[in-house]
Amino acid sequence: MDVVHVSIGSILSIVLQTLLLSSSCGSLEPYDLLYNNAVEAFYRSDYKDVVRHMEGALSSYAEVRQTKVRCRLRCQNQHPFDSASMDLQFFDVVLRRSNCQNECIEETVGTQSMHRVSEDVIQDFHRRIPYNYLQLAYQKLKQLDKAAAAAHTYFQANPESVEMDQNLEQYKALEGTNLDHFVDREARPHQRSFSAGVKLYDNANYEEAISLFEEALQEYYRADVECRALCQGPQRFEEQDHVLYRYSLYQLVSDHFTQVLHCEHECVRDLSTRPGRLSPMENYLPLHYDYLQFAYYQLNMVEEALECAQSYLLFHEGDEFMTENVEYYREAIGHDLKPREKAEWYLRRHEQELELLMIGSENMHVELSEGHYWTSTGGREDSNRIPSGTDGWMEYVPISEKKNFTLAPPQELREGGPLVYDSVQLIQNSQALNGTQRVLLDDVMSVEECAELKNLAHTVTMAGDGYRGKMSPHTPNERFEGATVLKALQYGYEGRVPLKSARLFYDVSERARRIIESYFLLNSTLHFSYTHLVCRTAITGQQDHRNDLSHPIHADNCLLDPEANECWKEPPAYTYRDYSALLYLNGDFEGGEFIFTEMDAKTVTAQVKPKCGRMVGFSSGGENPHGVRAVTRGQRCAVALWFTLDPLFRELERLQADEVVQALDNQSSQSKWDTSLNINPKDEL
C-alpha cells in the first residue's frame, strides 16, 4: 500500500498549514494535507482522526475536481476561440481564458488548494488507496456498514487484492451488515446505469432496462464533457524533457494543444474502462444503442428502435446484422428515420480530432492509437429478418495491439547452465517450481555474509527508500526500508558503516548477476536495472486477523490484468526488465514466503521459504506472476535485483558504484579495504 513518509509528510504539513492560516476561513482544505494527516493518524492508531481526515480528503478531492470542470467550461464559453482569429487574437483568448479559470477556481477553493499536488498522491486517489485506510479505521471503530462500503469501493479498483477479497467475505458473514452496505462509493454514474441496465435486459425486463440505458447515455455524454474539461490544464510530454527540445512560441503552443487533443481523445478509453482494469470494454458506447434498439423492438416501439439502430450504424457502418434490423424496422413503419443527433455530433467531433491528431503527431513524433475502442462484437445469428439483439458480449481491447514499443530482442528460453560458484546448490528448476524460467538456489551467500549484510541493512536502510519516501508501498501493516549499492558505499566512505560491508553488498549483487546470466544460458550480457537491499518489518499491534500480502501479486515488466488473464507490456511497467532475483539474508521471521501464481493472481503454483543464502531467480514477464505473503512477526531482509538485456537501460547508480569501486581498487594495493583512502565523495558519490 502507498503510504507517505512521515518526515516528508511533516514538512508538507507545516507548509500547507502555514498557507491555511494565511487564507480565508471559508477556503477548502488541501486534500493532500488531509490525506497525509489521515495516514499519520493511522500510524498513531487514532482511528477517529483517520476517518475525519480521510473523509475530508475525499470530499476535498472531489470538490477540487468538480470546481476545475465548472470553471473551465464556464471560461471556455466566455472566451471562445474564433476560427478566423489572427495570431494576437488567439493569444489574447488563451490568456483571458487562463486568467478566468484561475480566478474562478481560487474563488471557490481558495489559494491553498490550487498548488500542484504530487503525482504519488494523485495516483493513490486514482487507485482508491484512501478507502483501504477507511475500511480498517471503520472496522476498528466497529462501524461495520461503513467498513463494508469502503472495502467494496477499494476492491472494485483493486480486484487482485487477496486481502480485501477475504475481508469482504468476512463482512458479509457478520451480523449488522447486509448487501445494501456493499456499495461502490466511487461508482461512475454512466457505468453504474449501464451495468444495471444490462442485468435487467438479461432478465427480459426491457422497459426498466430502456430507462437505465437512456440514463447511461446521458451520463456518458456528461462524463465526456467533464473528462475533456479536465484535459484543458497544463500538459506534460516527453519531448520537453530533454535539452535538445528547442521550441519556439508557436511550436510550444502547437505541442500543448496537440497534447490536449490527445488527452481528449483518450477520454473514449477512460470512459469505457472499469475501475482497476487496464483495457476498455470493447464496443462500449455503440452497445448502448444496440441494447436499446432491441429493447424498444420488444416493446413494439419500432420508431425508437430504428433510431437507435441507425445510431449504432454510425459507429459500425455496414454491420450485417444491424443493417438487416434497419431494413426490418423501415418496412414495419413505412418510412426512414435519422440517427440520433447526439451520436452524429459525437462521432463527427471524434473523427475531426483524429485528423488533427494525425497532423499534430507528425510534429510531436507521438505514436497515437488510431482505434476508436469500438469494434463489432458479433456473436449473433440471423433470425429470418426478425431483429436481433446484442448478447451483451463485451471484452477487453488488447492494448498491445494499439501501441508499439521497442523491446529487447527475444531470447531463446533455456536453463541449466553452470552455477559459476562451487558452493551454490541447485534446489529446484522450472519444472519443480511448476513454471517457466524459474530457479531456486541455496548457499549463494555464507552465514557470515548474511549476518554482515543484515547488520549493514540496520544502519544504511531508510524508510521508504526506493519508493519515493513511502514507508510501505504495499501494506500499512509493515515497515519498509531499503538502500541502493551506491548509498551503502557512500555510508562506508563517511565511516557510518564498515566499508568492507558496503563492498560486500556490491560483490554479492554481482555474484547474483553472474549466476542468473549463466544458469539461464543467456546469449548476451545481463545488466543491472535496479539493485535494492530491502527489509520488511511486521508492525506490532497490527497483525491480528491479518490476511493481506506483504507485496501483492504482480509481474516485473508488465501490468498484470488478472481478470483478462493478460499482462500488458506497456508503461508504467518497467518493460525493459528481463530477469529478476531475490537473495535472502535471513529466515528468522514468521510469514514472508515468496509465491508464484497463475495469471489469475490467485492460484499459487510454487512457494519459497526464505533463509540465509537462498536465491530465487526468474524471467520478469507475465509468465511469472509473484508476490510475498504477509510478514507477521520479525523482519525479512533480502537483496532484490532486476536485470535487463538492453544496455540502454542499465542502472545509473550501478554505473556510478562501478566507478567508486574502481577508484578504490586503483588506490589500494592491499586486498583489504582501507577506510582512510582519500576519495572525494563529491566526485564519485
Side-chain angles (χ1 to χ4, degrees):
M1 175 177 296
D2 297 340
V3 179
V4 181
H5 190 283
V6 172
S7 61
I8 294 177
S10 299
I11 296 173
L12 176 66
S13 298
I14 294 172
V15 173
L16 293 180
Q17 285 169 355
T18 302
L19 287 172
L20 281 172
L21 291 173
S22 63
S23 304
S24 61
C25 297
S27 298
L28 192 68
E29 287 190 85
Y31 66 85
D32 51 345
L33 172 62
L34 291 166
Y35 179 51
N36 177 69
N37 290 342
V39 172
E40 290 184 345
F42 183 86
Y43 283 104
R44 295 195 310 268
S45 299
D46 186 349
Y47 299 111
K48 289 184 178 179
D49 260 12
V50 173
V51 169
R52 181 166 62 89
H53 289 304
M54 199 65 82
E55 292 287 10
L58 289 167
S59 177
S60 179
Y61 174 77
E63 180 59 29
V64 169
R65 183 184 185 279
Q66 286 304 312
T67 297
K68 288 180 178 179
V69 170
R70 289 194 299 267
C71 289
R72 287 174 181 174
L73 291 176
R74 179 196 305 172
C75 295
Q76 180 177 303
N77 292 332
Q78 290 179 359
H79 304 284
F81 288 118
D82 184 350
S83 59
S85 295
M86 301 299 288
D87 287 349
L88 290 179
Q89 292 174 313
F90 171 80
F91 288 119
D92 180 66
V93 173
V94 170
L95 293 174
R96 290 181 183 276
R97 183 181 290 186
S98 177
N99 184 63
C100 172
Q101 291 177 5
N102 289 337
E103 289 182 350
C104 177
I105 295 172
E106 182 177 351
E107 180 182 344
T108 305
V109 303
T111 305
Q112 75 279 3
S113 284
M114 294 182 65
H115 65 281
R116 186 179 182 88
V117 178
S118 76
E119 190 64 28
D120 288 338
V121 172
I122 293 173
Q123 287 302 314
D124 279 3
F125 276 78
H126 286 172
R127 294 171 51 211
R128 303 189 181 182
I129 300 298
Y131 288 98
N132 198 359
Y133 286 102
L134 278 176
Q135 73 94 14
L136 291 168
Y138 279 128
Q139 183 188 58
K140 294 288 187 179
L141 296 173
K142 308 300 182 184
Q143 299 181 41
L144 299 183
D145 55 338
K146 295 180 179 179
H152 182 77
T153 302
Y154 176 83
F155 188 69
Q156 296 307 300
N158 300 272
E160 76 287 351
S161 174
V162 177
E163 171 198 15
M164 203 59 72
D165 189 20
Q166 294 174 345
N167 284 353
L168 285 169
E169 292 302 317
Q170 292 176 4
Y171 287 137
K172 291 174 183 177
L174 291 174
E175 292 186 11
T177 62
N178 57 60
L179 292 180
D180 292 338
H181 295 148
F182 295 86
V183 295
D184 182 359
R185 292 178 49 180
E186 295 285 335
R188 305 172 83 172
H190 70 282
Q191 292 186 355
R192 179 177 55 212
S193 298
F194 179 74
S195 297
V198 171
K199 292 180 181 178
L200 291 169
Y201 178 98
D202 290 340
N203 291 325
N205 189 344
Y206 299 112
E207 185 172 359
E208 292 187 31
I210 286 172
S211 176
L212 284 170
F213 285 134
E214 294 288 10
E215 180 181 312
L217 276 174
Q218 293 181 17
E219 294 291 353
Y220 179 93
Y221 290 123
R222 184 180 296 113
D224 175 72
V225 170
E226 293 185 358
C227 179
R228 295 165 65 83
L230 291 171
C231 291
Q232 298 300 318
Q235 298 291 326
R236 177 182 179 273
F237 42 97
E238 294 178 359
E239 279 68 14
Q240 286 184 331
D241 289 345
H242 58 79
V243 180
L244 298 179
Y245 183 57
R246 306 292 184 185
Y247 52 86
S248 65
L249 175 62
Y250 291 98
Q251 182 67 43
L252 182 61
V253 172
S254 173
D255 287 351
H256 168 78
F257 281 101
T258 300
Q259 195 70 6
V260 170
L261 278 172
H262 182 210
C263 176
E264 292 178 345
H265 173 65
E266 285 297 297
C267 286
V268 178
R269 174 188 295 272
D270 175 66
L271 297 182
S272 59
T273 302
R274 289 177 289 178
R277 308 312 194 270
L278 301 174
S279 302
M281 289 179 281
E282 184 179 327
N283 206 35
Y284 182 67
L285 179 57
L287 266 177
H288 290 66
Y289 295 107
D290 196 353
Y291 278 114
L292 280 169
Q293 64 89 20
F294 190 69
Y296 276 125
Y297 164 74
Q298 291 291 338
L299 297 180
N300 200 32
M301 301 172 69
V302 184
E303 289 194 353
E304 290 81 356
L306 176 57
E307 187 181 52
C308 291
Q310 292 280 42
S311 300
Y312 183 91
L313 285 176
L314 291 174
F315 299 90
H316 299 297
E317 185 177 356
D319 177 85
E320 178 183 356
F321 296 108
M322 197 60 70
T323 299
E324 291 180 355
N325 286 359
V326 166
E327 292 175 357
Y328 180 92
Y329 297 144
R330 284 172 178 165
E331 292 179 6
I333 63 176
H335 60 86
D336 198 3
L337 288 173
K338 293 182 178 180
R340 291 189 177 182
E341 291 184 6
K342 191 73 172 180
E344 285 186 310
W345 169 83
Y346 178 88
L347 192 58
R348 183 168 58 252
R349 184 199 63 188
H350 186 73
E351 291 172 345
Q352 290 172 347
E353 287 175 352
L354 279 175
E355 292 178 7
L356 291 172
L357 277 171
M358 293 306 105
I359 296 173
S361 65
E362 294 178 4
N363 296 326
M364 291 182 62
H365 308 290
V366 177
E367 282 218 15
L368 301 171
S369 166
E370 296 183 5
H372 298 242
Y373 315 120
W374 45 69
T375 309
S376 181
T377 56
R380 293 172 295 183
E381 298 180 357
D382 189 2
S383 305
N384 296 323
R385 291 182 53 79
I386 295 176
S388 55
T390 180
D391 57 11
W393 179 39
M394 294 175 291
E395 61 181 31
Y396 290 105
V397 179
I399 299 177
S400 58
E401 294 180 7
K402 295 184 175 297
K403 296 187 179 181
N404 297 319
F405 298 94
T406 303
L407 307 177
Q411 295 282 321
E412 180 184 353
L413 300 182
R414 299 182 297 168
E415 65 176 279
L419 298 179
V420 185
Y421 302 92
D422 293 337
S423 64
V424 178
Q425 301 294 318
L426 174 63
I427 303 303
Q428 290 180 303
N429 59 13
S430 293
Q431 184 177 4
L433 290 168
N434 301 312
T436 303
Q437 295 281 277
R438 301 175 180 178
V439 65
L440 182 63
L441 306 166
D442 274 353
D443 300 324
V444 176
M445 285 194 301
S446 67
V447 173
E448 293 74 21
E449 288 174 327
C450 288
E452 187 170 352
L453 281 188
K454 194 172 182 188
N455 288 334
L456 174 70
H458 289 160
T459 305
V460 73
T461 55
M462 291 182 60
D465 187 275
Y467 285 88
R468 300 181 182 179
K470 298 174 183 175
M471 287 183 62
S472 172
H474 310 299
T475 172
N477 300 311
E478 297 175 18
R479 188 172 68 253
F480 175 93
E481 298 163 314
T484 61
V485 171
L486 186 64
K487 182 179 178 182
L489 289 170
Q490 182 176 2
Y491 272 45
Y493 171 81
E494 294 171 352
R496 299 165 70 175
V497 298
L499 198 50
K500 69 181 185 70
S501 297
R503 175 63 189 260
L504 176 62
F505 181 14
Y506 176 90
D507 289 340
V508 162
S509 59
E510 172 61 20
R511 190 184 307 170
R513 187 198 68 80
R514 291 187 63 197
I515 293 171
I516 295 297
E517 181 183 81
S518 176
Y519 178 78
F520 287 113
L521 297 166
L522 302 178
N523 55 22
S524 59
T525 303
L526 197 61
H527 306 278
F528 288 98
S529 168
Y530 189 59
T531 311
H532 205 208
L533 176 58
V534 56
C535 295
R536 306 167 188 271
T537 308
I539 297 176
T540 303
Q542 291 184 205
Q543 305 304 315
D544 294 343
H545 310 296
R546 186 179 169 193
N547 53 18
D548 65 327
L549 295 178
S550 175
H551 196 143
I553 304 301
H554 65 285
D556 287 337
N557 72 10
C558 54
L559 302 174
L560 189 64
D561 188 348
E563 183 170 302
N565 214 38
E566 292 286 353
C567 202
W568 311 110
K569 198 164 186 178
E570 63 169 26
Y574 301 101
T575 57
Y576 48 84
R577 291 179 176 175
D578 296 296
Y579 283 86
S580 310
L582 285 305
L583 176 55
Y584 300 108
L585 306 186
N586 66 315
D588 55 341
F589 52 84
E590 291 182 1
E593 296 88 354
F594 176 93
I595 55 175
F596 286 112
T597 74
E598 298 286 3
M599 206 171 288
D600 63 5
K602 295 179 180 180
T603 307
V604 176
T605 57
Q607 176 173 295
V608 174
K609 176 64 178 176
K611 71 173 188 176
C612 167
R614 173 164 286 179
M615 183 170 78
V616 58
F618 49 94
S619 55
S620 304
E623 68 279 3
N624 283 319
H626 58 279
V628 179
R629 295 194 189 279
V631 178
T632 55
R633 185 182 67 81
Q635 184 182 65
R636 175 190 191 269
C637 294
V639 176
L641 307 112
W642 293 270
F643 307 103
T644 179
L645 293 164
D646 190 341
L648 292 176
F649 292 99
R650 287 178 294 178
E651 179 184 9
L652 177 60
E653 284 203 15
R654 186 69 189 201
L655 297 177
Q656 294 171 318
D658 291 341
E659 294 176 1
V660 173
V661 171
Q662 184 177 3
L664 289 167
D665 287 345
N666 289 341
Q667 295 185 47
S668 177
S669 59
Q670 303 176 351
S671 59
K672 294 185 178 180
W673 284 54
D674 184 355
T675 57
S676 66
L677 291 175
N678 183 22
I679 302 175
N680 187 346
K682 293 183 179 180
D683 294 337
E684 306 292 353
L685 297 171

